[in-house]
Amino acid sequence: MGKYLLSLLFISFIFSAKGQYSPLSSNDSVYQWKWVETTYDQMSLEERIGQLFMVMASSEESAEGEDKIKSYIRDHYLGGIIFSKGGPLRQAKITNEYQRLSKIPLLVGMDAEWGLAMRLDSTYSFPWNMTLGAVRDTSVIERVGNQIGENTARLGVHINFAPVVDVNIDPRNPIIGNRSFGEDRENVSMKGVAIMKGMQRAGILTSGKHFPGHGDTSVDSHKSLPILDFSRKRLDSIELFPYKALIKEGLESVMVAHLSVPALEPEPSRPTSLSKSTITNLLKNEMGFSGLIFTDALNMNGVSNFAENGITELEAFLAGNDMLLMPKDFIKSKNTLLQAYESGLITEERLALSVKKVLMAKYKAGLHKNTSVQTENLYEDLNNLENVAVYEEAIESAITLAKDPLNLVGIKNLNNKNIAYVKFGDDGHQPFLDRLSKYAKITEVQAKDIASLKKKLDEFNLVIIGFHKNNDSPWKSYRFSQTELFWLQEIARQGSSNVILSVFANPYALLDIVSLADVDAVVVSYQNSQIAQEKTAEILFGAIPAKGILPVTAHPELPVNSSVESPSMQRLGYSIPERVGVDSSELAKIDELMQNGLDSLMFPGAQVLVARKGKIIYNKAFGKPTYDSDKELTTDHIYDLASLTKILATLPVVMKMEEEGKIALNDTFGELIEDYADTELKDVTVLKALSHYGRLPAWIAFYLKTLNNKRKPSPEFYRDNASVGFNTQVANNLFLQDAYNDSIYNRIGRQSLKSNRYRYSDVAYYVLKKYIEDTYNADLDDLANRFLYAPLGANNTAYNPIEKYPLDLIVPSEVDNYYRYQTVQGYVHDMGAAMQGGVGGHAGLFSNANDVAKIMQMYLQGGYYGGNRYLETRTVEKFNKCYFCDKDVRRGVGFDKPQLVPKGPTCGCVSRKSFGHSGFTGTFTWADPEEEIVYVFLSNRTYPSASNRLLVKSGLRSRIQQLIYDSLIN
């Protein structure tokens, strides 16, 4: 009979009243039940009643406060603690101390709705629920929940009082707001289930709150008792809807709020947390919930005013709650329950029901095995890169394009855009502005009054307004000031420009705007974190699509669940390595290699960039512009690209001409340049010349013929200042005779062909430059800029950069003591290109790594980038082909290709489809379509002398490339 009764009790605990499997059951439920029964039988009455309480603790607690909690644990058999403010390491240590004192392991809880950072310093903050409510893909939400769960579990926390599943109907709600997934019951339910499952996957117990629903009230229950005067039908259809969904999916616990709900509790002053009709009749019996039931904090004014200390807690227990959270007076409350048991008011059956549920929860949380928290590497574990990857994915998925009838997002036709940024709000905006500036030239415009601001904005055709509000907490003010509302309307009505409003705040902020009719586009980013700002900029420029939906009605014109589709335009984005299958710890070893390069005096400074799958994952600057420079090098500095010019300027123009039928690979130099029709060059084809198999000389030292017998620039050919016939600027205060350009081409025409083998040569690019400029009657630099750089957003790429950029932004390439006799800075290093006014087909282009990567990514994407098709895919494939590999010529048409022998330009680890080029000044770039990798290395190894070949001898660029491939995870 005893065994039969035990079996019945076991079955009643494992299954709910409605026959559902108990959410507190573990996978080894038989062993769980035996542990629960054995533990319960061994406990005294005081120990059992102590299990019903959870008090607040803090790692910032005073010694007196800690001693008080220790006495609760040691002398009063406390069931659990809920941690509040503090730091993770301090909390871990004090958790271990408290657990050592506890006869029965403590259930440790926290409010970690958006991660441990809700309560602790030095921990990671994940997106708020309102932000997650905008995410369509619930798998993203589940990953957020899992990461929150992993972090809380690592800290020895067993139950997270989350998710909040209040349906936030009232925008004025002072305590829920950003903590809610929104106003749509289905959306709240789906997101609540997803984040719950994520936390459960990490072994964390979850708690749905604030039952029966705290979303449609403008009163904070911490301060007074909110009234929800709705019909039962309305409560069933809105407030209770998410709980039904979560209970069905295995929610372990529910937290009951302090609310006045007449439809559920007829006694006006009795909060739902003390209401038997709400907890026992509705939640347990009607809804079939058999999990653990917590009160909300019993020290809140919404409940503490109901009765004196002790009586409130007794009422809560009698109403059906299992654990009494944060009583005002724990000992008094415990004694009140003890007396109630002894008087028969609390029966043994009722006590056993709750205590055994608490024990089941403890077993499921693993407290029957281990209670200690490992403190080694705790900070690193709680702040790992997985946090960033999950946060980044969630923010990308949440940002919502709420309005865009003109299709302004992603921003197109960059060559025609003059963009201003205006900052609203009281929080930081620099990450947004910096990331915007990666895509186009952005001018921040400020003024003290609206009239001055409007006047300044007259010259722009696109204005981006960023509204930045404090991101520290979801309760911070999110509203526009009256001045900002007025300024917004004035700017939007100006008519001289389109206006995009980016809101880095709660979407309810938009409710204060009378009309959005004159605002052309609205983007809601929900939070003002650095990642939210950066990802919003990427969305504006089409690097990533806008995926989010509005989780609430943000404005009469912007209803809940609305959004505008904005697909990716395949511009480069930015991310961390792990999101594209790269190990960041391995990739970080580039830093060591670069430091070795600096220490070995291979170069004064350099930039290194790595992109994969359309994301820049590494972009750093090392060293200084010169060895004696006072300033550090930045990623904004501009380098002389040397021979990278071939594939970044001349080649794309030639490829476009080939598409248009203006040139063919089998065209000969004699056909392209009439003057070469009777020279040895006449039969050299474009294909062979660009493959470096055209029997052309490697290079021609044109400048030597212009030096006097002292090896200085001859007055016959040069002047110190521009004058009639001498306008070709070679360097600072050095101008070449204009007619000498003809001499260059005459000399090329007199060249004899060399032996028929692979020979790298610049000469073909002189010829192609002339043909291009003659065909279009325009200069190569202008053509390349109009065709490629300006629409691409390569705003830091140009010939003759001294005419466009500050001198201190341009890295010097050499201290010239053989031709120009000066520091070459802002002028091309290559002598032949310098003699052509800085614009050579083979050299002369300047840029930074970020811009070079854009052009290489365009090639990688088959000629497409940023919404524009620059080249047909077949054209890129045609030029990226080795036509003479059987002749031991590795080159493609213009592009360098992987070596055919053990040594060559690459690490030997790249695919045969890969391509790139290197430059004399210490530059290199390579793209691999198979692994979707772009690698850029820019340096001024020629400073102060081009005779420094340590970089070349060291193979550093190839070793970095090998490291990139070694860091691939998938």
Side-chain angles (χ1 to χ4, degrees):
M1 183 67 183
K3 289 184 179 179
Y4 176 71
L5 180 60
L6 186 63
S7 298
L8 286 177
L9 286 170
F10 170 67
I11 291 169
S12 69
F13 267 91
I14 297 305
F15 292 93
S16 71
K18 291 203 170 185
Q20 295 172 329
Y21 200 67
S22 170
L24 296 175
S25 296
S26 65
N27 292 330
D28 55 345
S29 55
V30 173
Y31 291 102
Q32 178 189 31
W33 176 247
K34 287 181 179 178
W35 182 84
V36 169
E37 283 294 296
T38 301
T39 305
Y40 186 82
D41 290 344
Q42 293 173 351
M43 294 165 67
S44 68
L45 177 60
E46 282 201 51
E47 288 172 339
R48 292 171 181 174
I49 290 178
Q51 292 302 296
L52 304 176
F53 291 90
M54 182 177 273
V55 303
M56 186 171 72
S58 167
S59 54
E60 293 180 344
E61 201 84 65
S62 64
E64 182 183 358
E66 284 187 21
D67 289 341
K68 187 176 182 181
I69 293 175
K70 288 176 183 177
S71 73
Y72 290 166
I73 296 168
R74 184 179 53 245
D75 303 328
H76 298 279
Y77 318 110
L78 184 66
I81 51 177
I82 175 172
F83 273 105
S84 184
K85 299 290 185 181
L89 186 58
R90 301 190 299 277
Q91 180 168 313
K93 290 178 178 178
I94 200 169
T95 297
N96 287 339
E97 195 170 345
Y98 289 160
Q99 291 285 22
R100 278 193 296 270
L101 286 172
S102 186
K103 180 180 177 181
I104 300 159
L106 294 163
L107 186 67
V108 179
M110 280 189 75
D111 286 313
E113 295 164 20
W114 54 90
L116 296 172
M118 182 173 177
R119 292 289 184 252
L120 303 180
D121 61 39
S122 307
T123 54
Y124 201 82
S125 179
F126 291 90
W128 303 328
N129 280 359
M130 183 69 77
T131 308
L132 297 178
V135 177
R136 298 174 190 265
D137 185 353
T138 54
S139 68
V140 174
I141 310 296
E142 188 168 339
R143 283 191 284 277
V144 172
N146 182 248
Q147 199 61 21
I148 291 173
E150 293 288 350
N151 288 353
T152 50
R154 177 65 181 86
L155 191 56
V157 175
H158 313 114
I159 182 166
N160 185 359
F161 291 109
V164 172
V165 286
D166 299 314
V167 182
N168 202 81
I169 303 294
D170 193 336
R172 302 168 300 166
N173 197 318
I175 193 61
I176 304 302
N178 273 321
R179 298 166 68 198
S180 167
F181 291 112
E183 70 177 65
D184 179 86
R185 66 177 195 171
E186 280 87 1
N187 190 41
V188 171
S189 301
M190 284 192 300
K191 305 304 163 56
V193 167
I195 204 164
M196 174 188 78
K197 287 187 172 181
M199 289 188 283
Q200 290 172 337
R201 194 151 46 87
I204 291 296
L205 304 176
T206 59
S207 186
K209 64 184 185 184
H210 306 82
F211 186 85
H214 205 315
D216 197 356
T217 175
S218 59
V219 177
D220 181 356
S221 57
H222 291 82
K223 300 176 180 178
S224 59
L225 186 64
I227 299 173
L228 273 69
D229 196 7
F230 305 123
S231 69
R232 176 61 196 272
K233 183 178 180 182
R234 148 65 196 259
L235 292 171
D236 280 336
S237 65
I238 302 296
E239 279 76 10
L240 298 176
F241 189 88
Y243 290 96
K244 295 172 185 175
L246 268 69
I247 289 169
K248 184 178 180 181
E249 294 296 331
L251 179 69
E252 291 99 345
S253 76
V254 167
M255 178 182 283
V256 184
H258 311 309
L259 304 167
S260 174
V261 187
L264 300 179
E265 173 53 58
E267 188 179 340
S269 60
R270 181 176 289 274
T272 46
S273 53
L274 310 183
S275 168
K276 185 174 183 179
S277 63
T278 301
I279 300 169
T280 299
N281 297 349
L282 172 61
L283 179 58
K284 296 168 77 172
N285 295 340
E286 192 175 325
M287 298 177 69
F289 182 64
S290 61
L292 206 56
I293 301 175
F294 289 85
T295 67
D296 204 343
L298 291 169
N299 59 4
M300 293 165 60
N301 289 341
V303 67
S304 62
N305 295 332
F306 179 78
E308 63 183 50
N309 294 342
I311 300 301
T312 298
E313 287 72 18
L314 175 60
E315 291 278 352
F317 185 72
L318 293 174
N321 292 290
D322 298 306
M323 288 203 84
L324 310 175
L325 191 65
M326 295 165 59
K328 273 194 171 182
D329 188 329
F330 163 55
I331 294 175
K332 185 173 183 179
S333 300
K334 179 198 164 192
N335 289 334
T336 301
L337 264 67
L338 186 61
Q339 292 167 10
Y341 180 89
E342 291 170 343
S343 70
L345 184 59
I346 296 176
T347 66
E348 169 58 25
E349 182 183 8
R350 172 69 187 88
L351 179 64
L353 176 68
S354 288
V355 174
K356 289 181 180 180
K357 281 205 283 182
V358 172
L359 293 176
M360 285 182 74
K362 289 186 174 184
Y363 186 97
K364 187 173 183 179
L367 283 169
H368 63 296
K369 295 185 294 187
N370 181 36
T371 61
S372 64
V373 183
Q374 297 300 314
T375 57
E376 186 178 358
N377 298 322
L378 180 63
Y379 176 83
E380 291 77 11
D381 291 345
L382 295 179
N383 293 278
N384 57 43
L385 280 170
E386 188 62 26
N387 290 343
V388 182
V390 167
Y391 185 100
E392 190 176 89
E393 181 185 30
I395 288 293
E396 282 183 4
S397 301
I399 296 170
T400 306
L401 182 57
K403 175 186 179 181
D404 189 19
L406 302 179
N407 295 321
L408 295 177
V409 180
I411 300 169
K412 298 170 280 291
N413 303 318
L414 298 183
N415 47 321
N416 298 324
K417 291 291 188 293
N418 194 6
I419 307 174
Y421 163 79
V422 177
K423 186 218 169 185
F424 282 5
D426 54 13
D427 205 23
H429 69 291
Q430 202 60 46
F432 185 48
L433 186 58
D434 289 347
R435 187 57 55 86
L436 288 172
S437 299
K438 294 288 186 184
Y439 295 100
K441 181 182 178 183
I442 310 292
T443 304
E444 183 175 6
V445 179
Q446 299 172 316
K448 292 182 179 179
D449 57 78
I450 186 60
S452 301
L453 183 63
K454 288 170 68 177
K455 186 175 181 180
K456 289 181 178 180
L457 292 176
D458 271 340
E459 63 184 271
F460 299 93
N461 57 19
L462 178 60
V463 177
I464 298 171
I465 299 174
F467 177 56
H468 303 267
K469 296 299 286 185
N470 191 288
N471 196 64
D472 292 345
S473 121
W475 298 288
K476 292 280 188 179
S477 171
Y478 56 77
R479 301 181 72 172
F480 286 91
S481 70
Q482 289 302 308
T483 298
E484 288 168 339
L485 291 170
F486 173 66
W487 282 28
L488 174 61
Q489 295 299 335
E490 288 294 302
I491 295 169
R493 290 171 183 160
Q494 192 163 356
S496 60
S497 59
N498 293 118
V499 174
I500 298 174
L501 174 63
S502 292
V503 178
F504 297 95
N506 189 308
Y508 287 137
L510 293 163
L511 289 171
D512 289 334
I513 301 172
V514 175
S515 172
L516 290 169
D518 296 313
V519 179
D520 298 301
V522 178
V523 179
V524 182
S525 304
Y526 303 95
Q527 297 184 231
N528 196 43
S529 66
Q530 177 177 334
I531 291 177
Q533 291 187 48
E534 291 171 343
K535 293 301 169 184
T536 301
E538 292 180 35
I539 284 173
L540 289 182
F541 280 97
I544 54 177
K547 302 177 185 176
I549 56 169
L550 285 174
V552 295
T553 297
H555 191 273
E557 300 171 39
L558 306 175
V560 63
N561 294 327
S562 64
S563 66
V564 179
E565 288 189 11
S566 173
S568 168
M569 297 168 64
Q570 291 185 257
R571 284 197 177 104
L572 278 170
Y574 299 80
S575 191
I576 61 172
E578 277 70 12
R579 286 202 67 199
V580 291
V582 179
D583 186 330
S584 57
S585 61
E586 285 296 310
L587 199 65
K589 293 177 182 178
I590 294 174
D591 295 12
E592 300 172 25
L593 292 178
M594 290 302 294
Q595 189 59 51
N596 177 259
L598 292 171
D599 294 343
S600 302
L601 303 180
M602 295 180 193
F603 41 75
Q607 296 173 353
V608 179
L609 180 148
V610 181
R612 191 180 192 213
K613 297 182 180 179
K615 306 283 187 184
I616 292 174
I617 56 174
Y618 186 100
N619 187 15
K620 290 187 179 182
F622 300 88
K624 300 177 179 181
T626 67
Y627 289 111
D628 55 0
S629 177
D630 294 330
K631 295 183 178 180
E632 297 294 315
L633 192 76
T634 71
T635 55
D636 292 326
H637 275 90
I638 297 169
Y639 277 92
D640 183 335
L641 300 181
S643 283
L644 298 194
T645 302
K646 294 180 173 73
I647 67 167
L648 302 179
T650 308
L651 191 63
V653 175
V654 170
M655 293 166 81
K656 192 64 178 176
M657 293 176 75
E658 194 270 346
E659 288 182 0
E660 295 173 348
K662 293 182 171 66
I663 195 171
L665 294 185
N666 59 358
D667 283 348
T668 64
F669 280 9
E671 292 170 330
L672 298 181
I673 308 295
E674 186 179 347
D675 290 344
Y676 295 164
D678 295 322
T679 68
E680 286 193 33
L681 276 60
K682 64 180 180 180
D683 294 324
V684 176
T685 64
V686 172
L687 174 62
K688 286 192 172 183
L690 290 180
S691 300
H692 300 277
Y693 191 51
R695 302 173 63 192
L696 299 172
W699 77 299
I700 303 171
F702 298 107
Y703 78 100
L704 290 176
K705 296 286 188 179
T706 67
L707 303 181
N708 61 22
N709 55 10
K710 295 182 179 179
R711 298 187 64 82
K712 295 289 182 70
S714 170
E716 178 185 353
F717 300 106
Y718 296 95
R719 297 288 186 271
D720 293 338
N721 299 290
S723 58
V724 177
F726 292 85
N727 292 295
T728 303
Q729 188 164 14
V730 172
N732 189 36
N733 296 325
L734 189 63
F735 293 82
L736 177 65
Q737 185 182 70
D738 297 335
Y740 201 83
N741 192 52
D742 292 336
S743 300
I744 290 174
Y745 284 101
N746 288 336
R747 188 169 175 186
I748 291 173
R750 297 195 302 270
Q751 296 299 305
S752 299
L753 294 179
K754 307 299 180 182
S755 58
N756 193 25
R757 64 173 179 81
Y758 167 70
R759 181 180 291 99
Y760 180 77
S761 174
D762 288 340
V763 173
Y765 288 88
Y766 283 90
V767 176
L768 289 171
K769 173 184 183 302
K770 179 172 176 55
Y771 178 70
I772 290 167
E773 293 182 338
D774 289 348
T775 300
Y776 290 105
N777 195 28
D779 294 332
L780 176 61
D781 55 342
D782 181 56
L783 289 167
N785 185 63
R786 285 191 284 116
F787 165 55
L788 189 58
Y789 313 142
L792 196 76
N795 300 302
N796 300 293
T797 303
Y799 284 93
N800 290 316
I802 199 166
E803 298 173 2
K804 300 180 180 180
Y805 310 108
L807 186 63
D808 61 2
L809 197 65
I810 307 168
V811 177
S813 55
E814 189 177 19
V815 179
D816 184 339
N817 60 4
Y818 53 87
Y819 172 34
R820 289 155 286 201
Y821 295 91
Q822 59 183 268
T823 297
V824 180
Q825 184 177 14
Y827 300 94
V828 61
H829 175 268
D830 183 271
M831 293 74 76
M835 296 175 74
Q836 292 190 303
V839 182
H842 64 294
L845 197 63
F846 286 70
S847 190
N848 59 23
N850 195 71
D851 273 10
V852 171
K854 292 177 183 180
I855 303 173
M856 296 301 288
Q857 188 69 25
M858 180 272 292
Y859 285 135
L860 203 63
Q861 294 170 180
Y864 184 88
Y865 188 91
N868 292 328
R869 177 154 293 285
Y870 296 90
L871 300 166
E872 296 298 326
T873 300
R874 62 131 188 117
T875 306
V876 177
E877 292 173 350
K878 186 175 188 176
F879 280 71
N880 182 30
K881 183 177 179 181
C882 178
Y883 288 88
F884 303 104
C885 280
D886 60 333
K887 305 295 184 183
D888 295 327
V889 179
R890 70 169 187 262
R891 299 271 176 169
V893 185
F895 294 113
D896 200 356
K897 298 285 289 175
Q899 57 264 36
L900 302 173
V901 293
K903 290 186 177 182
T906 75
C907 57
C909 52
V910 298
S911 75
R912 290 302 309 164
K913 292 181 180 179
S914 69
F915 56 92
H917 216 283
S918 59
F920 183 79
T921 52
T923 59
F924 181 84
T925 186
W926 208 266
D928 190 339
E930 287 193 2
E931 292 293 351
E932 298 180 78
I933 290 173
V934 170
Y935 164 41
V936 184
F937 182 104
L938 305 182
S939 77
N940 56 336
R941 68 99 191 158
T942 51
Y943 187 93
S945 172
S947 63
N948 178 7
R949 293 183 53 81
L950 292 174
L951 173 64
V952 180
K953 292 178 180 178
S954 72
L956 177 66
R957 291 171 290 189
S958 296
R959 285 189 285 141
I960 291 174
Q961 190 175 46
Q962 180 68 61
L963 197 155
I964 294 167
Y965 280 77
D966 290 344
S967 70
L968 300 184
I969 302 169
N970 53 53

